[in-house]
Amino acid sequence: MEDIIEEIMRLKKERKAIILAHVYQPEEIQEIADFSGDSFGLSQKAAATDAEVIVFCGVRFMAETANILSPDKVTLLPAVDAGCQMFTDAITGEVRKARAEHPDALIVSYVNTPASVKAMSDICCTSSNAAAVVASLPRDKEVIFVPDANLGAWAEEQCGRKLLKWQGGCPIHGNLTVEEIQAAKARYPQALVLMHPECRAELCALADYVGSTSGIIKFAETNPADEFIIATEEGVMYELTERCPQKKFHLASRRLLCVNMKKTTLEKVRDALLTMEPQVVVPEDIRLKSVAALERMLAIKGETSCNVI
Ligand code: 13P
Ligand code: SF4
């Protein structure tokens, strides 16, 4: 393992590359990353870096976002088949239909969408700024929110405003049950529950804090409590224990595991830097249409900002 890490570090220097990793990535990938963080923090980094190559350790929509924001850089996605289960290819046609049926509505798309959906959107959001993005829109306009109905419901509650919500969702967060949260609370009665807004509303109602992965990490770090139940993908446990070694963290369910996020390996990162493949290139016409929606989002201050390490 040490040989591969050495090789990665050498190649990274040669290629003038930066390694970005989402906090759901395997531990050994987060360890070698230059920056790790949530989707919003990673988009900020991708937009601002002066590296020539971005090695994106995450899933495809995140690498596409990096390429949209930094088209002059080479974006590598070591795990070429890492997708997000929140949407299928059908989403582009369905959003096009919604656009036609509601010509005056504004479309807010979660960054967990393909570039073709961002290209039809007025503004993007991440889990860290969904409420701030919705709050920034004129109140007399109808707003379509795609694709995560749970995040949409969370933004609705925060902003006191109705949205037309597309009925998509994350199977990992969306399948977490009230019983699992109640069982964890019964087992660890002192612990605070920190939850991602991709979980269902009835579960969010049981949480002490709801926010993006960066928000969860920040809350655990700054809150005086020393025991927490974590209701998001298990990868965040690495950063939580790194930052707060004296505190206790319990994953709410062993099912909180995103297989796509675990497809990155050290070998794949090394090979990507060696061969400069697989690259993610968003076609220029789609890129030009989607960059505005992302830049509008980046201009809005959310609940948390970049949480780079
Ligand atoms: P963050 O916005 O917290 O990075 O979450 C992204 C994601 O895919 C959650 O499942
Ligand atoms: Fe997509 Fe869910 Fe995996 Fe996040 S955890 S990347 S929303 S499937």
Side-chain angles (χ1 to χ4, degrees):
M1 192 148 118
E2 270 173 24
D3 288 352
I4 298 187
I5 294 174
E6 251 173 53
E7 213 180 337
I8 290 172
M9 293 306 147
R10 179 178 56 77
L11 287 164
K12 195 180 75 163
K13 218 166 162 192
E14 271 171 37
R15 302 287 195 199
K16 298 193 172 63
I18 186 171
I19 300 178
L20 303 182
H22 191 269
V23 286
Y24 293 166
Q25 287 287 291
E27 211 170 294
E28 64 277 17
I29 300 297
Q30 294 193 52
E31 253 167 35
I32 58 142
D34 295 296
F35 297 97
S36 73
D38 70 354
S39 305
F40 185 70
L42 292 167
S43 327
Q44 284 183 317
K45 268 288 148 195
T49 181
D50 54 10
E52 290 176 14
V53 176
I54 298 171
V55 183
F56 213 109
C57 302
V59 295
R60 179 162 292 268
F61 78 80
M62 296 178 176
E64 279 185 358
T65 300
N67 182 247
I68 292 166
L69 293 167
S70 286
D72 51 327
K73 317 243 166 11
V74 171
T75 301
L76 299 170
L77 178 64
V80 69
D81 58 340
C84 170
Q85 293 175 72
M86 190 174 272
F87 56 87
T88 63
D89 289 347
I91 191 174
T92 307
E94 289 171 17
V95 174
R96 190 174 297 119
K97 196 166 158 249
R99 169 56 98 203
E101 284 169 2
H102 302 268
D104 296 327
L106 296 173
I107 298 184
V108 178
S109 65
Y110 192 22
V111 286
N112 298 41
T113 47
S116 50
V117 168
K118 294 183 177 77
M120 288 183 272
S121 306
D122 295 282
I123 188 163
C124 292
C125 74
T126 71
S127 61
S128 71
N129 60 19
V133 164
V134 169
S136 75
L137 302 174
R139 284 200 87 94
D140 58 340
K141 282 275 190 188
E142 193 174 35
V143 174
I144 299 173
F145 191 95
V146 290
D148 186 2
N150 291 338
L151 182 63
W154 173 246
E156 270 181 338
E157 198 199 305
Q158 297 295 299
C159 302
R161 151 172 208 178
K162 275 273 159 223
L163 304 171
L164 281 175
K165 301 189 294 300
W166 204 76
Q167 293 303 307
C170 166
I172 291 105
H173 291 86
N175 287 338
L176 191 66
T177 63
V178 166
E179 290 71 29
E180 280 170 309
I181 297 299
Q182 280 168 344
K185 276 173 164 259
R187 192 150 182 217
Y188 309 110
Q190 308 299 328
L192 298 184
V193 178
L194 314 186
M195 188 173 286
H196 198 281
E198 285 175 12
C199 296
R200 286 176 289 123
E202 63 264 41
L203 277 79
C204 290
L206 301 174
D208 296 287
Y209 171 80
V210 178
S212 76
T213 46
S214 287
I216 287 173
I217 293 166
K218 229 170 247 178
F219 185 95
E221 224 181 352
T222 52
N223 190 278
D226 58 11
E227 197 172 356
F228 302 92
I229 294 162
I230 302 300
T232 190
E233 210 272 351
E234 63 90 40
V236 294
M237 301 293 267
Y238 169 75
E239 189 56 21
L240 285 166
T241 40
E242 280 287 297
R243 290 207 187 198
C244 316
Q246 75 289 3
K247 297 193 179 188
K248 285 196 199 119
F249 299 101
H250 313 285
L251 196 64
S253 161
R254 288 216 301 240
R255 299 185 304 127
L256 284 163
L257 190 136
C258 175
V259 284
N260 282 295
M261 281 286 182
K262 308 303 181 202
K263 286 182 176 169
T264 318
T265 61
L266 288 172
E267 286 80 1
K268 287 182 191 171
V269 173
R270 187 255 335 262
D271 293 349
L273 281 163
L274 256 180
T275 60
M276 294 296 275
E277 294 289 346
Q279 293 191 17
V280 171
V281 184
V282 175
E284 191 58 7
D285 56 333
I286 294 181
R287 194 193 74 77
L288 287 173
K289 286 186 198 150
S290 46
V291 72
L294 280 168
E295 282 176 349
R296 270 183 221 123
M297 170 192 86
L298 287 169
I300 290 185
K301 295 264 176 292
E303 156 232 29
T304 57
S305 61
C306 185
N307 184 44
V308 291
I309 291 133

